[in-house]
Amino acid sequence: MLLQGKKILIGVTAGIAAYKIPLLVRLLKKAGALVQVVQTPASLDFVRPIVLSTLSGNPCPSEFSSESGDWNSHVDMALWANLIVLAPLTANTLAKMANGLCDNLVLATYLSAKCPVLFAPAMDLDMYAHPTTKKNIDMLKSFGNTEIPAETGFLASGLEGEGRMAEPETIYKAILAKFSTGYLDGKTILINAGPTYEAIDPVRFIGNRSTGRMGIALAEEAAALGAKVYLVLGPSAIHVENPNILVKRVESAKEMYTLCTDIFPEVDAAILSAAVADFRPKNQSKQKIKKELGAADIALEMNPDILKTLGERKQHQVLIGFALETNDEIANAKKKIANKNLDYIVLNSLNDKGAGFGYLTNKIQIIDKQNKIYDFELKAKTELAADILNTVFQHEV
Ligand code: C5P
């Protein structure tokens, strides 16, 4: 698990977005983290401690002493934490932090901490744009704290603009990045994913059942390990929101080819997991083809092989392809390593239940160019993403 045993303290202040913090606690717990939440007294109007203590598995104090008379030691909590996250962070608490004020448990904990601190501002757009707020944010950053910038969208005031707390998933990813083991720090990786759609006319296309899930999991994991990731993504329904992933949306194999070949020279590695359509209609009708014309034959032509092209142009890059075979899997995958000049190939099984397109799980084998085979159990694509990156990069990068 990505955050196994990591001690994370969340300081909640009095913003409406506090209602989203239970979701963040859930994500952290699922990733194996130990979570302690502390609230400001004013935040109790927005989220109740019973929710946060139940989900975190720890009491959620908001005062220096509990009703039973025990001391809720801000010093102990601050020194326990490997990471402190202030979310949502109001303009008021932000200003107090910038100036060293310490009139509640959250502020006292922050001031006692020695670990890294992330903060996610949340306020109305004019408050966020105010020069005082900007100055206070800059001041917090100058102390070595990391901002998770507010996002643009609907605000509780009814106005729309910048100031909304980053979504729990975005905060979670910022936390993952903080705990990155760093073996991909400073590396740039190109990943492609998803199906491609090959237009017959403006309405119809030839496509396939790929969801993009495996490649997206790889992109997320690589970003969490510190890499800068280019994700060239075909028409997948999955939305990718990660500050360390540059998502380039494409539709056809031709568009995917152009982007991948453009980006390839500047990367350290490329992982081609996309289910690129092998053929496209030779002619694309500008208008919707009328059914009154009767069933037409669709003449096809080959799409360029992106992976093969990158293999031909490869210099310093580590190149990883995927293969989905129905027979003579290993022999065919080995041939592909040679034909496409790959360093590794990830072989997907179609013979195992729960593996392949549309599933959250997959079963893979990785083969390297010396024909060494690495076997993996059927498991979640997110876990396999970590296995693939560990296998490939701990050796090569
Ligand atoms: O040759 P085959 O299609 O089985 O190889 C699969 C691998 O090649 C995958 O990594 C896939 O992304 C890539 N590929 C490609 N361009 C194509 C077809 C496949 O990059 N036109």
Side-chain angles (χ1 to χ4, degrees):
M1 283 196 280
L2 289 169
L3 294 173
Q4 190 63 44
K6 298 285 185 279
K7 298 171 191 155
I8 299 172
L9 186 141
I10 305 177
V12 178
T13 77
I16 290 280
Y19 81 90
K20 295 183 179 174
I21 297 305
L23 299 173
L24 175 63
V25 175
R26 254 256 184 279
L27 288 170
L28 295 173
K29 290 294 286 182
K30 273 169 94 176
L34 306 170
V35 181
Q36 167 72 62
V37 186
V38 183
Q39 293 189 251
T40 61
S43 77
L44 299 179
D45 284 341
F46 299 99
V47 60
R48 302 302 297 167
I50 179 101
V51 183
L52 296 165
S53 58
T54 307
L55 293 175
S56 67
N58 279 314
C60 173
S62 53
E63 298 291 346
F64 286 96
S65 61
S66 62
E67 276 174 17
S68 59
D70 292 333
W71 183 34
N72 294 317
S73 167
H74 53 279
V75 178
D76 287 351
M77 288 190 290
L79 297 182
W80 168 86
N82 301 131
L83 179 74
I84 291 185
V85 184
L86 292 141
L89 182 60
T90 57
N92 182 45
T93 304
L94 177 66
K96 288 181 180 177
M97 283 165 68
N99 292 285
L101 271 72
C102 186
D103 62 357
N104 64 42
L105 191 59
V106 170
L107 286 162
T109 307
Y110 162 71
L111 217 49
S112 310
K114 290 185 178 166
C115 63
V117 175
L118 296 175
F119 65 99
M123 61 199 77
D124 208 48
L125 74 170
D126 294 318
M127 297 166 81
Y128 191 60
H130 199 283
T132 321
T133 305
K134 294 281 172 230
K135 190 188 93 201
N136 288 336
I137 289 177
D138 286 345
M139 202 172 326
L140 281 196
K141 290 204 281 198
S142 76
F143 300 154
N145 304 313
T146 306
E147 182 191 12
I148 307 171
E151 293 173 1
T152 300
F154 286 111
L155 299 161
S157 59
L159 300 174
E160 209 181 324
E162 199 178 14
R164 204 163 90 152
M165 186 183 78
E167 289 300 325
E169 288 78 9
T170 310
I171 298 176
Y172 171 68
K173 284 169 193 163
I175 294 170
L176 286 184
K178 272 277 169 213
F179 286 110
S180 146
T181 62
Y183 73 81
L184 295 182
D185 280 347
K187 300 287 173 198
T188 305
I189 301 181
L190 163 66
I191 297 175
N192 73 4
T196 62
Y197 287 177
E198 311 299 322
I200 298 169
D201 66 20
V203 184
R204 306 174 180 104
F205 61 84
I206 296 173
N208 61 61
R209 294 181 199 281
S210 166
T211 58
R213 209 177 295 276
M214 188 68 241
I216 291 170
L218 279 163
E220 295 279 6
E221 182 65 22
L225 290 169
K228 174 183 169 192
V229 179
Y230 287 101
L231 176 63
V232 180
L233 183 58
S236 159
I238 304 172
H239 180 67
V240 183
E241 179 91 48
N242 187 317
N244 298 319
I245 303 179
L246 245 112
V247 185
K248 309 254 182 198
R249 284 273 181 178
V250 295
E251 195 166 286
S252 67
K254 249 185 175 170
E255 289 166 358
M256 194 174 261
Y257 174 90
T258 305
L259 272 176
C260 289
T261 49
D262 278 358
I263 295 168
F264 189 60
E266 68 166 282
V267 301
D268 300 293
I271 309 178
L272 273 72
S273 70
V276 185
D278 290 313
F279 316 103
R280 62 168 177 256
K282 206 167 183 172
N283 302 304
Q284 291 175 16
S285 170
K286 294 251 177 322
Q287 272 124 28
K288 186 179 170 195
I289 301 168
K290 294 269 179 233
K291 67 175 173 214
E292 288 75 12
L293 295 174
D297 286 335
I298 300 172
L300 299 174
E301 63 185 359
M302 291 298 288
N303 267 325
D305 190 318
I306 307 169
L307 184 58
K308 194 162 195 297
T309 309
L310 299 192
E312 285 157 8
R313 297 184 187 179
K314 192 169 86 170
Q315 290 179 333
H316 57 280
Q317 295 93 340
V318 183
L319 187 58
I320 302 113
F322 271 66
L324 195 136
E325 302 286 341
T326 49
N327 56 296
D328 299 329
E329 291 108 321
I330 302 264
N332 284 329
K334 284 180 180 170
K335 263 190 230 155
K336 223 162 273 182
I337 293 182
N339 291 344
K340 301 196 187 191
N341 192 20
L342 309 181
D343 297 287
Y344 293 88
I345 197 150
V346 181
L347 181 58
N348 281 294
S349 163
L350 260 193
N351 302 324
D352 292 272
K353 207 166 169 276
F357 288 161
Y359 291 102
L360 293 176
T361 49
N362 204 5
K363 181 145 179 9
I364 61 160
Q365 289 174 302
I366 301 176
I367 309 172
D368 69 16
K369 61 184 172 197
Q370 282 86 33
N371 286 337
K372 180 166 181 212
I373 301 176
Y374 304 79
D375 286 299
F376 299 89
E377 304 283 300
L378 178 83
K379 51 176 127 169
K381 288 181 175 171
T382 47
E383 290 174 53
L384 283 173
D387 290 338
I388 293 170
L389 294 172
N390 283 339
T391 308
V392 169
F393 293 107
Q394 285 192 344
H395 296 176
E396 296 275 350
V397 174

